């Protein structure tokens, strides 16, 4: 595998210096307050620590997807240039008990997902980029600060792609550490199922390379749903797949077409068992500009073939706006980006999963109307309930690629991931909009259980920090395995104590016996 010069330098450094054991030395009791942590770090990494009055600080803050994330003001922001810098930051933070957050792309909407307030500093990985292909072009390697458009820009000229994000501006790090559903997922599983190696900085600053080939294979397995629990990943190596032009884009429909569209989406989801090259996302949304509801669909077929057999049941429908065409996959990701450029106001995302069912989604939308329509005249209020398929074969593809910690099984059948999105501008509406979003999710969970449609899986990348994503999305045995891996690599629990944001594993119950798993089982 070829490395870019910066990554090669880091690899050599790791080999020479970081050949040390995972066990932590006793950390220093010299605890520093956040501002003192920043001042000390500015000596360790001169020119890479930025204060609230600086332009780099403001630029990084304003580049978050969510306005609420951008309103958090860390004591400083730290911009490592490479893995060595990240190692020094974590070693320093652990020694001095400095709280921190880590930002890759900053696309999660909920407050504190990848930022922190004045009690700590934010490590911004956007400088750790670089995308390279292996000599045989079968593996693409990229820094954790890359966006998917950076990766695709290297792959597209070679007629290649990977199981990455469907919006160009999404960061690679959060996407892959949350599993990641991409255009190729029905055929190849989650994005994380296609990672073959992680470069990871552990809590004590040591660097390891986790693979499925008996090189920290336990960590490799756990990172497929790792979030902020095991270490800071600085590089991903992923499998590539041949990919030429596609047929795709957006179509908008009148809300009256919702019943037939949803029925046909059920049929489409079933057909993915035979033809996994399709993606069809559907959103029932309140449009504040037109003062009406509208249906927005995002569609892609991974061949340059308009209306293939997989789409046969949709062909007779007439959209209000049709933006479908033969395009590159990069064109599609940028088109989806333009449709959702980011939030500068208030926002709440919530997610759950249920068996593909048209009538339930119609009823969910009706419940949303009941909850949100009284506030349609408030500034910037927009809301939607969206679905996308998780066909049964996705779980099979994941197992084929070595398995992951999620609870998904082929026997669960065809599922839909549902996303509730709510947006508004006035902070005075925070309580009612958040309360109603949570009420809609609670109604959906209760009603799907009553109708025998419920799935416990929560797609991490659509969830809010208030949701118990890892507990819900894993089996008890898998959860205990993840906790065992966590204890092995961070026995002092420093990443729980210091790293804010993401979705955390539950604390280990010390009254229960520790299960020692054979690494070969993972």
């Amino acid at each position: 595998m070829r490395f870019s010069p910066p990554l090669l330098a880091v690899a050599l450094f790791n080999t020479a210096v970081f050949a040390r054991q995972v066990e932590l030395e006793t950390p220093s009791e010299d605890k520093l307050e956040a501002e003192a942590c920043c001042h000390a770090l500015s000596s360790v990494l001169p020119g890479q620590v930025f204060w609230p009055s600086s332009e780099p600080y403001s630029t990084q803050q304003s580049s978050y997807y969510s306005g609420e994330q951008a309103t958090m003001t860390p004591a400083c922001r730290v911009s490592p240039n490479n893995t060595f810098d990240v190692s020094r930051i974590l070693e320093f933070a652990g020694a001095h008990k400095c709280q921190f957050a880590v930002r890759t792309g900053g696309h999660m909407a909920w407050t504190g997902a990848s930022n922190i307030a004045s009690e700590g500093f934010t490590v911004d990985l956007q400088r750790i980029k670089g995308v390279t292909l292996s000599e045989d072009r079968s593996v693409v390697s990229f820094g954790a600060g890359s966006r998917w458009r950076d990766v695709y820009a290297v792959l597209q000229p070679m007629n290649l792609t990977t199981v990455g994000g469907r919006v160009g501006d999404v960061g690679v790090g959060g996407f892959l550490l949350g599993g990641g559903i991409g255009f190729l997922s029905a055929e190849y599983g989650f994005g994380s199922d296609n990672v073959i190696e992680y470069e990871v900085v552990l809590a004590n600053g040591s660097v390891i390379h986790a693979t499925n080939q008996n090189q920290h294979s336990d960590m490799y397995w756990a990172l497929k749903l790792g979030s902020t629990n095991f270490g800071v990943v600085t590089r991903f190596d992923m499998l590539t797949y041949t990919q030429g032009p596609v047929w795709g884009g957006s179509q908008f429909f009148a809300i009256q077409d919702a019943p037939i569209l949803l029925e046909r989406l059920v049929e489409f989801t079933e057909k993915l068992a035979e033809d996994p090259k399709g993606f069809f996302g559907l959103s029932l949304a309140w449009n504040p500009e037109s003062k009406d509801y509208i249906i927005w669909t995002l569609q892609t077929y991974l061949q340059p073939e308009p209306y293939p057999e997989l789409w046969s049941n949709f062909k007779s429908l007439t959209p209000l706006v049709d933006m479908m065409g033969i395009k590159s996959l990069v064109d599609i990701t940028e088109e989806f980006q333009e449709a959702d450029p980011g939030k500068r106001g208030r926002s709440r995302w919530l997610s759950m999963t249920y068996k593909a069912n048209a009538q339930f989604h119609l009823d969910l939308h009706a419940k949303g109307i009941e909850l949100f329509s009284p506030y349609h005249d408030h500034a910037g209020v927009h809301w939607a309930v969206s679905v996308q398929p998780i066909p049964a074969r996705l779980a099979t593809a994941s197992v084929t690629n070595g398995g992951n910690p999620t609870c998904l099984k082929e026997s669960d059948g065809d599922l839909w991931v549902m996303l509730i999105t709510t947006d508004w501008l006035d902070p005075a509406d925070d309580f009612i909009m958040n309360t109603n979003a949570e009420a809609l999710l609670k109604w959906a969970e209760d009603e799907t259980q009553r109708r025998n449609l419920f799935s416990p899986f929560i797609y991490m990348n659509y969830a809010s920090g208030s949701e118990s994503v890892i507990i819900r999305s894993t089996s008890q045995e898998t959860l205990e395995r993840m906790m065992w891996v966590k204890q092995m690599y961070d026995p002092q629990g420093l990443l729980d104590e210091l790293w804010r944001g993401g979705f955390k594993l539950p604390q280990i119950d010390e009254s229960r016996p520790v299960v020692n798993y054979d690494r070969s089982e993972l």
Side-chain angles (χ1 to χ4, degrees):
M1 183 182 304
R2 290 188 313 197
F3 293 90
S4 65
L7 291 180
L8 178 58
V10 170
L12 292 173
F13 179 87
N14 294 341
T15 302
V17 180
F18 283 103
R20 60 188 183 185
Q21 297 297 315
V22 168
E23 287 79 5
L24 279 167
E25 300 175 359
T26 303
S28 166
E29 294 301 320
D30 183 21
K31 181 177 180 179
L32 299 179
E33 296 301 320
E35 190 169 332
C37 289
C38 291
H39 279 291
L41 272 174
S42 65
S43 298
V44 176
L45 298 171
Q48 296 170 245
V49 176
F50 304 111
W51 302 92
S53 59
S54 69
E55 183 176 344
Y57 182 104
S58 299
T59 299
Q60 291 180 10
Q61 286 283 110
S62 64
S63 64
Y64 280 94
Y65 173 85
S66 163
E68 286 169 292
Q69 282 249 79
T71 60
M72 301 187 77
T73 54
C76 64
R77 299 186 67 89
V78 186
S79 293
N81 292 322
N82 49 45
T83 302
F84 178 36
D85 289 348
V86 176
S87 168
R88 297 174 78 185
I89 293 167
L90 262 65
E91 189 171 30
F92 177 89
H96 300 288
K97 300 297 181 69
C98 301
Q99 294 184 24
F100 63 92
V102 178
R103 178 258 178 89
T104 54
H107 204 263
M108 288 296 284
W110 54 276
T111 303
S114 55
N115 207 2
I116 195 170
S118 59
E119 71 271 14
F121 61 85
T122 296
V123 182
D124 195 306
L125 299 182
Q126 291 184 91
R127 290 182 177 179
I128 304 180
K129 295 186 177 180
V131 182
T132 59
L133 269 173
S134 62
E135 291 187 6
D136 64 1
R137 300 181 180 178
S138 65
V139 176
V140 62
S141 303
F142 44 85
S146 304
R147 309 290 177 118
W148 284 110
R149 65 163 56 94
D150 303 325
V151 179
Y152 297 149
V154 172
L155 296 179
Q156 183 186 343
M158 309 293 180
N159 287 322
L160 296 171
T161 193
T162 190
V163 187
R166 291 169 300 204
V167 175
D169 198 48
V170 168
V172 301
F175 178 87
L176 291 171
L177 293 171
I181 300 175
F183 290 115
L184 282 70
S185 285
E187 190 165 7
Y188 298 111
F190 291 107
S192 61
D193 291 319
N194 295 272
V195 176
I196 63 169
E197 183 172 322
Y198 300 88
E199 181 178 71
V200 194
V201 182
L202 301 179
N204 66 344
S206 61
V207 180
I208 65 170
H209 292 83
T211 76
N212 62 352
Q213 301 298 321
N214 297 320
Q215 185 178 7
H216 301 288
S217 57
D218 40 17
M219 173 69 85
Y220 168 82
W221 170 82
L223 284 171
K224 291 186 177 186
L225 198 66
S227 192
T228 59
N229 290 288
F230 303 102
V232 177
V233 177
T234 52
R235 196 193 77 224
F236 301 87
D237 297 350
M238 289 189 73
L239 297 171
T240 63
Y241 301 98
T242 301
Q243 183 62 60
V246 304
W247 175 69
S250 301
Q251 288 181 330
F252 295 83
F253 293 86
I255 194 65
Q256 291 77 13
D257 290 328
I260 192 168
L261 275 167
L262 286 164
E263 287 289 355
R264 293 181 181 181
L265 184 58
V266 172
E267 298 164 0
F268 176 94
T269 306
E270 294 168 353
K271 288 182 178 181
L272 288 172
E274 302 299 325
D275 186 354
K277 295 188 179 299
F279 164 73
F280 198 115
L282 184 152
S283 180
L284 307 182
W286 168 251
N287 184 348
E289 285 74 29
S290 65
K291 303 294 183 184
D292 199 2
Y293 298 97
I294 196 167
I295 303 172
W296 175 34
T297 67
L298 305 172
Q299 308 172 45
T300 305
Y301 187 63
L302 298 175
Q303 296 289 339
E305 179 185 348
Y307 287 101
E309 173 59 28
L310 188 57
W311 261 261
S312 59
N313 289 343
F314 293 103
K315 192 171 183 178
S316 62
L317 302 180
T318 303
L320 299 172
V321 178
D322 190 347
M323 302 170 65
M324 300 290 287
I326 306 299
K327 308 169 185 178
S328 73
L329 209 52
V330 173
D331 293 335
I332 299 291
T333 62
E334 293 305 322
E335 185 176 312
F336 289 3
Q337 170 70 35
E338 291 174 9
D340 188 15
K343 316 296 183 186
R344 291 296 169 259
R346 328 293 286 176
S347 183
R348 185 72 181 275
W349 289 23
L350 294 162
S351 187
M352 66 166 294
T353 304
Y354 49 82
K355 295 177 183 178
N357 186 279
Q359 187 57 54
F360 175 75
H361 200 69
L362 290 171
D363 295 344
L364 175 68
H365 184 246
K367 183 66 177 180
I369 292 173
E370 175 188 323
L371 289 168
F372 291 112
S373 61
Y375 309 99
H376 283 174
D377 60 346
H378 289 215
V381 166
H382 171 275
W383 66 276
V385 286
S386 308
V387 287
Q388 61 179 284
I390 295 188
R393 65 169 294 142
L394 187 151
T396 305
S398 294
V399 171
T400 301
N401 285 348
N404 60 53
T406 70
C407 60
L408 291 174
K409 306 182 296 296
E410 186 175 13
S411 59
D412 295 334
D414 294 322
L415 303 172
W416 284 351
V417 167
M418 184 273 289
L419 170 64
I420 299 169
T421 54
T422 55
D423 304 288
W424 63 101
L425 293 176
D426 189 347
D429 288 332
D430 284 0
F431 177 78
I432 192 62
M433 293 298 289
N434 280 303
T435 299
N436 284 352
E438 292 167 5
L440 184 57
L441 179 67
K442 177 67 164 56
W443 181 90
E445 291 180 337
D446 290 346
E447 193 64 16
T448 50
Q449 292 190 56
R450 190 182 71 80
R451 301 187 196 188
N452 197 30
L453 301 173
F454 177 81
S455 167
F457 175 72
I458 303 174
Y459 180 40
M460 184 181 289
N461 294 346
Y462 286 172
S464 170
S466 61
E467 296 184 81
S468 301
V469 174
I470 294 181
I471 293 175
R472 277 264 301 269
S473 299
T474 59
S475 67
Q476 182 62 36
E477 179 183 5
T478 296
L479 182 63
E480 289 182 357
R481 285 183 173 183
M482 294 179 78
M483 294 166 68
W484 175 76
V485 173
K486 164 76 173 170
Q487 192 170 38
M488 282 182 56
Y489 287 91
D490 182 18
Q492 300 284 344
L494 286 178
L495 297 183
D496 288 332
E497 179 184 355
L498 304 176
W499 189 355
R500 297 291 177 261
F503 296 90
K504 297 295 188 180
L505 286 164
Q507 296 294 309
I508 293 176
D509 183 354
E510 296 184 358
S511 67
R512 297 181 60 186
V514 176
V515 179
N516 291 313
Y517 289 97
D518 183 345
R519 288 189 177 196
S520 65
E521 296 177 4
L522 303 179

